[in-house]
Structure formats: C-alpha cells, structure tokens
Amino acid sequence: MSSSPGPIPSSWVSTGHLPTPEVVQSLVREAHAQFGSVDQGRVAHGIPALATASPQSFGISVAATNGATFNAGDWAVPFSIQSLSKPFLFALVCEAIGEQLARDTLGVNSTGLPFNSVLAVERTEEGLSNPMVNAGAIAATSLVPGEDAEAKWRFIVDGLSRFAGRRLEVDAAVYQSEQATNAGNENIASLLSAHQQLWCEPRTAIDLYTRQCALLVTAQDLALMACTLANGGRQPLSGETVIAPLICRRVLAVMVTAGLYETSGDWLYQIGLPGKSGVSGGMITVAPGKGALATWSPPLDEAGNSVRGQLTAHFLSERLGLNLFDSRPSGEAIGQAP
Ligand code: DON
C-alpha cells in the first residue's frame, strides 16, 4: 500500500482534550493510592542490576499536550529506560531514512511471541517483524546514521534527549550488568546478521542497543517523551519539533500492534490506546492530541509488563475518557434528513 493519499487539513483532525487540571491531578493521586498496595508480579531478574529494584517503588506522571504535568509517588526517581527506548528510536530512524523505508525494512506486524524471541527471527526468511521487540530494535539501531559507533551513539542519545527535553545519561552499572548477561541479544544479532538484516557490525549494534536501554529517565521524563508522540512530534515543554506528525502516527500504530508483545491484543481490548512497556517496570500510554501517561513500578507479569502500570493505565484511560474506541450515540435521530 502506498504511504499517504495526500495532506489532511489540520482543522479536520479531531482528538478532544483532557478534563480540567484539578480532575486530572485528583485522578492521578487516586490511582496511586488505589494501586500502591497491589503486591502481584515479580521484579525482573534476567538483568542482575535490575533485580535489586524495590517492588514498592511506584510513580505516576501524566503530561498534557500544553506542557502541564500531573504527578504522584516516585515520579521523579530515575530508572533505566529499557524497552521504552524502542518507539523513540524507531521514530528517529523513520526521520533519518524515511518512514516507508523503515517500515519496509523493519516490518510492522506483531510476533505474538515474547520480546526476546529467537523463534520470531528464525521462522521467516526476513527474520524481522517489528521494531518494538529486541530483534527489530537491534536492527533499527543498526540503521542509525553516523560514520562510526560514537557518531551513531550521539545520534541516539541526542534524539532521545530531545524527546525528554533534557540531557539523558547512561546508568553505568545497568549498562555493565546487561553487557555481562547479553547472550540472548548477541544470539539474536548473529541470527540477524546471518539473514543480512543488520546494517552495521553486530558488535556495534548490540553495544548501542544495550547502552540506550541503560539511559536513565524518570516517570515524568517518559510522560513528556510519550506526550511528544501525542503532540504531533513537538516536545510540549521545549517547543522543539522532534519528529513530523506523520511519523508520530506510524510509531503509535506499531505500539498498538506490538507495544506489549504477546499481550498487545489484551492491552488494546482493555485500554484502547497505544502503549509500551519496559523490563525495569516503566510503561507509557499515549492519548493522541491529549497527552500521555507514564508509570514506574518494577513488579512485572509473565509477559514482562508492569502490573501496577497496567492497572493505572486502565483506570486512567477509563476515568479520563481516553480510550480511542469510545463514542456515545449522537443526539440526532437515525434516518432523518439533515
Ligand atoms: O534487551 C533486553 O532484553 C532489555 N534491555 C530490554 C527488554 C525490555 O525492556 C522488555 N520489556 N518488557
């Protein structure tokens, strides 16, 4: 299918707005109070540096497209971004090489399999399914422009920092810990290389991918990053245009398809919004035109998605009226001529 049938007048794009600031702040506090005592899930244990996270940590941040933020709990505590870098990296690669080529190269279909699945790489000739799983994100990383590894890293860290509106730094302990236990990702990179689906040295792709996963963010940073995707690509605080509106649409579409891996269908059915999870317990949820929600709570379910994060997203999607599929019957009688 071709990329776009033509421009849409801005005034025809309609997305609604969040309730008043008082209502949003009060619901954010209510969600924090309600779900803070939930004790299901298990802190990630695959990466040793993440296994020491406190299961009690719980932060919520909502950012509106006008730049207002609404916070509760541990919203200002930094943690490593992990898989939450994937949609932003994909956005930056789309900007760099064009969204059509990025789609043709990386794919935009779900795997129905866990985020680190090797089977998903082995089962097709191309090996790639989408840039929200590890294989697709490692391949996307290999497409980053730059004459050497350092230039490529600058592209990644500068781009992700522009989404956040502040300079992001790497957590050295998380980076080293993940480097020392990276056999799964190294295996994926070798397979991709064998399928001719890596566009730089496998070692460079893995290192850049691992470093980007170790960037430190707070829930508020993530809410503002995700809000940039809700705001046609303009960072709501800095006012900087980070990516084009069309690329926001493309990234949000892939998040809907694969943001929660094999449970993406359950997520969409329940919450009705693009979302993305990370193994450190972060989650983002985007309400196009309105704003975005970010949560941080380390205990995860079996698929690697934060338990409190999902509960909060469901609660706020319902109570703030965010579900994209919601509508109410029109006041006009059916069958009557206008
Ligand atoms: O590459 C990995 O496996 C981790 N650095 C990131 C995985 C992740 O966050 C999956 N999320 N649910």
Side-chain angles (χ1 to χ4, degrees):
M1 247 197 299
S2 87
S3 153
S4 170
I8 314 160
S10 288
S11 56
W12 292 4
V13 177
S14 99
T15 51
H17 51 80
L18 289 175
T20 63
E22 296 72 27
V23 169
V24 179
Q25 183 60 65
S26 138
L27 288 170
V28 165
R29 282 206 198 98
E30 193 179 327
H32 191 269
Q34 190 168 330
F35 304 120
S37 55
V38 170
D39 63 359
Q40 285 141 14
R42 185 166 171 219
V43 174
H45 47 280
I47 303 169
L50 299 185
T52 54
S54 163
Q56 267 71 51
S57 297
F58 184 28
I60 305 181
S61 182
V62 168
T65 46
N66 67 4
T69 53
F70 308 92
N71 300 314
D74 299 319
W75 60 274
V77 179
F79 58 95
S80 58
I81 189 166
Q82 297 299 334
S83 281
L84 292 160
S85 67
K86 289 176 168 116
F88 304 104
L89 181 85
F90 176 54
L92 295 169
V93 168
C94 284
E95 278 283 338
I97 70 168
E99 53 89 24
Q100 190 63 43
L101 181 58
R103 174 236 179 114
D104 292 345
T105 309
L106 299 167
V108 292
N109 285 312
S110 78
T111 65
L113 292 163
F115 64 90
N116 50 4
S117 173
V118 173
L119 174 64
V121 182
E122 282 176 330
R123 70 183 171 176
T124 62
E125 194 132 321
E126 316 81 64
L128 290 170
S129 303
N130 71 72
M132 298 300 114
V133 294
N134 289 11
I138 293 166
T141 302
S142 78
L143 290 169
V144 161
E147 66 282 4
D148 57 21
E150 220 25 65
K152 289 177 194 295
W153 172 245
R154 271 200 308 281
F155 175 92
I156 295 171
V157 72
D158 289 352
L160 293 179
S161 297
R162 292 209 316 277
F163 273 109
R166 74 172 184 93
R167 193 81 202 149
L168 300 179
E169 307 281 347
V170 166
D171 183 324
V174 170
Y175 173 47
Q176 279 153 23
S177 175
E178 196 162 357
Q179 259 186 331
T181 52
N182 226 0
N185 285 331
E186 282 159 10
N187 191 16
I188 287 174
S190 313
L191 272 173
L192 290 177
S193 183
H195 283 259
Q196 273 91 46
Q197 300 289 357
L198 273 191
W199 292 272
C200 73
E201 279 295 301
R203 204 180 287 266
T204 306
I206 284 291
D207 183 60
L208 293 172
Y209 167 77
T210 308
R211 262 202 267 177
Q212 87 196 233
C213 286
L215 284 168
L216 286 169
V217 287
T218 64
Q220 183 174 271
D221 289 330
L222 281 174
L224 288 163
M225 291 173 85
C227 191
T228 305
L229 297 176
N231 194 33
R234 184 177 297 159
Q235 215 277 0
L237 288 186
S238 71
E240 189 184 350
T241 297
V242 184
I243 52 164
L246 174 65
I247 294 188
C248 287
R249 269 165 52 180
R250 302 302 191 225
V251 174
L252 295 177
V254 184
M255 285 168 67
V256 163
T257 306
L260 276 89
Y261 315 117
E262 67 272 37
T263 57
S264 296
D266 287 321
W267 165 270
L268 192 59
Y269 195 86
Q270 191 87 342
I271 283 128
L273 293 163
K276 183 77 199 78
S277 66
V279 77
S280 50
M283 289 196 86
I284 54 173
T285 309
V286 181
K290 297 181 177 177
L293 159 71
T295 51
W296 176 52
S297 169
L300 310 176
D301 68 11
E302 292 292 310
N305 304 315
S306 168
V307 173
R308 286 191 204 116
Q310 292 174 85
L311 291 168
T312 304
H314 184 216
F315 176 88
L316 288 177
S317 170
E318 290 293 316
R319 300 291 298 275
L320 293 172
L322 303 179
N323 191 315
L324 290 174
F325 306 117
D326 208 359
S327 64
R328 294 293 181 270
S330 126
E332 288 169 31
I334 296 164
Q336 273 190 356

